[in-house]
Amino acid sequence: KQEVTQIPAALSVPEGENLVLNCSFTDSAIYNLQWFRQDPGKGLTSLLLIQSSQREQTSGRLNASLDKSSGRSTLYIAASQPGDSATYLCAVYNNNDMRFGAGTRLTVKP
Amino acid sequence: DAGVIQSPRHEVTEMGQEVTLRCKPISGHNSLFWYRQTMMRGLELLIYFNNNVPIDDSGMPEDRFSAKMPNASFSTLKIQPSEPRDSAVYFCASSFSEQGELFFGEGSRLTVL
């Protein structure tokens, strides 16, 4: 059974810093991995989708990488801004099932 | 596109009452998912449909929960009778395919007193 872990659970950084969020999974036979952002009281917003054949995806200041063999993905946020404050979740799809991590709560201080 | 639309956004009801949550997926998407989110358990997949057919309902907690998708543009999640432990945020999500990028609605926050 796939298990998805996100470390750290919470992270606080000053504005302008570059940061990395981590996601690990136990079963490397995945179809894809998706990163989401969730603001308080809101739904999940898709940030990046990485197919199993890809190594990374980029969107603006965000870059997500995937290393299936080691069961890891990272989300890199460049030049963080207070508006980036949210909970970031990764989700892994395999065997007709999508498993979510518990998320990393990010606070970017002005 | 308006995105995934869920209603109601908030529901407060008393134990034993029937609750019906509604979802309209993104037009053209053929996979629809119902999730439940709580502080204790995070996001849990309840059931998903592909081309209006339920594929996996192993996440449905018990017989009090049922879900239907009568057509490609509408789905319901029903709880009857509701219990306080059902209090959670229920999300609907849709994608172009079972393995495609997932798009979520804003959720329905359910409180059962």
Side-chain angles (χ1 to χ4, degrees):
Chain A
K1 182 176 177 180
Q2 179 76 275
E3 292 184 7
V4 183
T5 304
Q6 290 189 247
I7 296 174
L11 180 65
S12 180
V13 301
E15 181 177 4
E17 237 183 56
N18 303 323
L19 58 101
V20 174
L21 306 180
N22 297 293
C23 173
S24 62
F25 45 95
T26 55
D27 184 350
S28 62
I30 65 172
Y31 285 109
N32 62 46
L33 183 145
Q34 195 167 352
W35 282 94
F36 295 88
R37 167 188 174 136
Q38 186 174 28
D39 294 284
K42 299 289 187 180
L44 280 71
T45 300
S46 177
L47 297 174
L48 291 164
L49 171 70
I50 310 178
Q51 301 292 349
S52 62
S53 58
Q54 297 174 321
R55 297 296 297 269
E56 66 176 347
Q57 283 284 345
T58 298
S59 176
R61 294 182 293 109
L62 305 180
N63 176 276
S65 68
L66 174 63
D67 184 344
K68 276 182 30 176
S69 61
S70 66
R72 294 181 180 182
S73 176
T74 61
L75 179 66
Y76 174 82
I77 303 177
S80 59
Q81 303 171 357
D84 295 330
S85 298
T87 297
Y88 291 80
L89 298 99
C90 70
V92 182
Y93 185 88
N94 64 341
N95 296 328
N96 293 326
D97 189 16
M98 178 169 267
R99 294 277 169 174
F100 283 79
T104 294
R105 189 173 67 254
L106 173 66
T107 302
V108 180
K109 298 179 179 179
Chain B
D1 199 310
V4 177
I5 300 173
Q6 292 186 246
S7 65
R9 288 296 312 279
H10 302 275
E11 174 98 5
V12 180
T13 190
E14 293 187 346
M15 182 173 63
Q17 296 298 306
E18 178 179 293
V19 174
T20 300
L21 307 178
R22 298 173 178 79
C23 175
K24 175 178 169 56
I26 292 173
S27 178
H29 283 189
N30 62 3
S31 294
L32 183 140
F33 305 77
W34 282 101
Y35 285 89
R36 177 171 67 177
Q37 187 177 41
T38 61
M39 289 292 292
M40 291 295 293
R41 301 173 68 91
L43 266 166
E44 301 173 282
L45 178 64
L46 301 177
I47 185 171
Y48 82 90
F49 296 83
N50 192 45
N51 292 321
N52 311 339
V53 176
I55 302 300
D56 184 357
D57 65 353
S58 59
M60 295 286 263
E62 47 199 275
D63 293 344
R64 298 184 296 107
F65 286 69
S66 62
K68 294 182 179 179
M69 191 165 187
N71 57 62
S73 59
F74 184 67
S75 177
T76 60
L77 178 67
K78 185 175 293 187
I79 308 172
Q80 167 63 21
S82 58
E83 297 182 2
R85 60 193 169 118
D86 301 330
S87 297
V89 181
Y90 291 81
F91 287 105
C92 176
S94 70
S95 64
F96 184 69
S97 68
E98 287 173 273
Q99 301 96 17
E101 187 175 5
L102 207 54
F103 293 86
F104 279 75
E106 290 290 294
S108 294
R109 181 177 294 277
L110 173 65
T111 302
V112 183
L113 303 174

